[in-house]
Amino acid sequence: MTSDAQAAGQTQAAKKAAAPARDPWDLPDVSGLTVGVLGGTGDQGRGLAYRLAKAGQRVIVGSRSTERAEAAAAGLGLGVEGMDNAACARASDVVIVAVPWEGHARTLQGLTAELAGKLVVDCVNPLAFDKRGAYAVRPEEGSAAQQAAALLPDARVTAAFHHLSAVLLQDPAVEEIDTDVMVLGDSRADCEIVQALAARIPGMRGVFAGRLRTAHQVESLVANLIAVNRRYKAHAGIRLTDI
Amino acid sequence: MTSDAQAAGQTQAAKKAAAPARDPWDLPDVSGLTVGVLGGTGDQGRGLAYRLAKAGQRVIVGSRSTERAEAAAAGLGLGVEGMDNAACARASDVVIVAVPWEGHARTLQGLTAELAGKLVVDCVNPLAFDKRGAYAVRPEEGSAAQQAAALLPDARVTAAFHHLSAVLLQDPAVEEIDTDVMVLGDSRADCEIVQALAARIPGMRGVFAGRLRTAHQVESLVANLIAVNRRYKAHAGIRLTDI
């Protein structure tokens, strides 16, 4: 079965629960929001911080160490600030979680108070490697994003930015990044804020792509992109067609 | 972490196992192969049969019932033949499995002899639905494709064609389908045959996207495409960028 055949087979109840038919590209103005990046000293975090700051967003890089956060921020320029993770979370409206999967649960457990009420964007991909390449790890909660939601009951958890190349994000010679950002979450308003943030980066669109319970496959797909990158010597991204 | 950062972190052993650096777009001539489609009377199977026959491939539609297979074949024209599933498997070089997930294991268990030595292309998406939409089901074997490999130890199992819109496939007014086909498998030669088959359909590329053990997320991603289709009133497909 395919996506449209299955959609046609849905129950009336599911149809009633469908989103109202307003323009899905009508997204909020997010230019005034402060974006924190936990794990902002890593490759992906630094790359996202760079792109969002370049787009005009106020950005705070977070790290366990204030010194390393400040050093990363200074290296990025563009007005990016550096703080320890807790201060970064407190000072931000939107908090991107870009820590390694191994530190995911521990980092969030230490920030439950700071992240209460915040819009959290999880972009962590639980993967492991062996000699045959990368493969998905299945968190007990279903996905990294669902683990975040379980650990942060008072935060507004979404998932996005999984499929971006840190090499392209960090390369100042790259003006546009040819990719869509799949945004997942259970609150339409929160997803739209994240979609609008993604759309600030030249070349990117933010596309709503399902509820948080469908995050595992989006996170895991990075294993496939790694296989693509190896075979084609590329920094592959994903575009959704027909939208 | 992102795909390239993680790839860079791979072990030497993984690097040695990488594919040789020959042109990944240099694919075999598959125009002489006969393609069978099990479940070829369903929407996706019929759509794939139509597109491949239109591209000049010899195509056999398979069904539990010879009569229904013949009726579907007659409806498609283009020289498509109809047979029961066992005869279809015997007469084909490449066998696409397009049955509903509910009938997947049972269908394959009944065809172990007929599928021995054949190149099997699983395109089944194990999904379930409730009032909140579609979600992935995790087969005990890891994925539908891995279930096929477990049930068919003498077949050459690959996975592909998961993300195609049956509506677009079946619409004769649609000349080109703007999408890539992610092809998964553990044999490069077999994957390349499937990639070449996909590339015969105007608009499509067949892209190698990992080993069979990474099929679950590719199959499950249809749940996200269903969410995209509902939100954007579309028949979404996937393009891989930078390749």
Side-chain angles (χ1 to χ4, degrees):
Chain A
M1 282 200 292
T2 58
S3 50
D4 36 32
Q6 286 164 326
Q10 282 173 114
T11 62
Q12 282 305 112
K15 280 183 190 157
K16 266 188 234 161
R22 58 182 182 81
D23 182 358
W25 298 108
D26 181 17
L27 300 174
D29 176 8
V30 296
S31 59
L33 299 181
T34 298
V35 180
V37 184
L38 305 180
T41 58
D43 280 333
Q44 188 182 23
R46 208 166 49 229
L48 279 170
Y50 172 67
R51 291 288 158 182
L52 290 168
K54 202 175 170 189
Q57 212 75 32
R58 183 188 171 210
V59 174
I60 303 171
V61 161
S63 169
R64 277 175 296 173
S65 142
T66 307
E67 291 67 34
R68 276 187 286 133
E70 287 173 348
L76 287 167
L78 300 166
V80 175
E81 298 154 74
M83 303 180 185
D84 70 53
N85 281 332
C88 169
R90 270 194 302 269
S92 302
D93 303 301
V94 177
V95 181
I96 296 174
V97 182
V99 298
W101 165 238
E102 295 67 30
H104 185 260
R106 196 176 57 245
T107 301
L108 298 182
Q109 276 157 348
L111 296 170
T112 49
E114 290 82 356
L115 291 171
K118 305 289 185 181
L119 204 174
V120 171
V121 189
D122 204 298
C123 61
V124 173
N125 306 305
L127 292 186
F129 291 87
D130 62 18
K131 64 179 190 217
R132 296 190 298 152
Y135 58 98
V137 172
R138 188 176 178 81
E140 199 183 320
E141 298 83 355
S143 62
Q146 288 164 291
Q147 182 182 83
L151 293 173
L152 304 170
D154 298 324
R156 297 141 53 201
V157 177
T158 63
F161 299 117
H162 303 90
H163 304 145
L164 306 180
S165 157
V167 171
L168 297 182
L169 285 175
Q170 294 182 95
D171 184 348
V174 174
E175 294 286 340
E176 295 203 358
I177 299 182
D178 177 22
T179 191
D180 287 331
V181 172
M182 297 174 81
V183 178
L184 307 168
D186 296 334
S187 153
R188 179 161 182 162
D190 288 340
C191 285
E192 288 182 340
I193 291 170
V194 182
Q195 290 169 249
L197 262 183
R200 297 206 72 194
I201 302 176
M204 291 191 198
R205 300 186 299 180
V207 177
F208 173 73
R211 291 176 174 272
L212 219 57
R213 68 173 180 173
T214 63
H216 177 56
Q217 55 261 33
V218 174
E219 298 170 357
S220 306
L221 202 68
V222 175
N224 303 87
L225 293 180
I226 290 171
V228 172
N229 288 346
R230 287 176 65 183
R231 175 66 57 91
Y232 298 89
K233 314 294 178 211
H235 303 292
I238 284 179
R239 275 273 179 228
L240 292 159
T241 58
D242 197 43
I243 64 165
Chain B
M1 284 202 289
T2 58
S3 50
D4 36 32
Q6 286 164 326
Q10 282 173 110
T11 63
Q12 282 306 112
K15 281 183 187 158
K16 265 189 236 160
R22 59 183 181 82
D23 182 358
W25 298 109
D26 180 16
L27 300 173
D29 176 7
V30 296
S31 59
L33 299 181
T34 297
V35 180
V37 185
L38 305 181
T41 57
D43 280 333
Q44 189 182 22
R46 208 165 48 227
L48 279 170
Y50 172 67
R51 291 288 157 182
L52 290 168
K54 203 174 167 188
Q57 212 74 33
R58 182 186 171 209
V59 175
I60 303 172
V61 161
S63 169
R64 278 176 295 173
S65 140
T66 307
E67 290 68 32
R68 275 187 288 133
E70 288 174 347
L76 288 167
L78 299 166
V80 175
E81 298 155 73
M83 302 181 187
D84 69 55
N85 281 332
C88 169
R90 269 194 302 269
S92 302
D93 303 301
V94 177
V95 181
I96 297 175
V97 182
V99 299
W101 164 239
E102 293 68 28
H104 185 259
R106 197 177 53 245
T107 301
L108 298 182
Q109 276 159 346
L111 296 169
T112 49
E114 289 82 357
L115 291 171
K118 305 289 184 180
L119 203 175
V120 170
V121 189
D122 204 296
C123 61
V124 172
N125 306 305
L127 291 186
F129 291 86
D130 63 17
K131 62 180 195 220
R132 296 190 300 153
Y135 59 99
V137 171
R138 188 177 178 81
E140 198 182 322
E141 298 84 354
S143 62
Q146 287 164 291
Q147 183 181 81
L151 294 173
L152 304 170
D154 299 324
R156 297 140 54 201
V157 176
T158 63
F161 299 117
H162 303 90
H163 303 145
L164 305 179
S165 158
V167 172
L168 298 182
L169 285 175
Q170 295 183 94
D171 184 347
V174 174
E175 293 286 340
E176 294 203 0
I177 299 181
D178 177 21
T179 191
D180 287 331
V181 172
M182 298 174 80
V183 178
L184 305 158
D186 296 334
S187 153
R188 179 159 182 165
D190 288 339
C191 286
E192 288 182 341
I193 292 170
V194 181
Q195 292 169 248
L197 261 184
R200 298 206 72 194
I201 302 176
M204 292 191 197
R205 300 186 299 180
V207 178
F208 173 74
R211 289 176 175 272
L212 218 56
R213 67 173 180 175
T214 64
H216 177 57
Q217 54 262 33
V218 174
E219 298 170 356
S220 305
L221 202 68
V222 175
N224 303 87
L225 293 180
I226 290 172
V228 171
N229 287 346
R230 287 176 64 183
R231 175 65 57 90
Y232 296 89
K233 315 293 178 213
H235 301 293
I238 285 179
R239 274 274 180 226
L240 292 159
T241 57
D242 197 44
I243 65 166

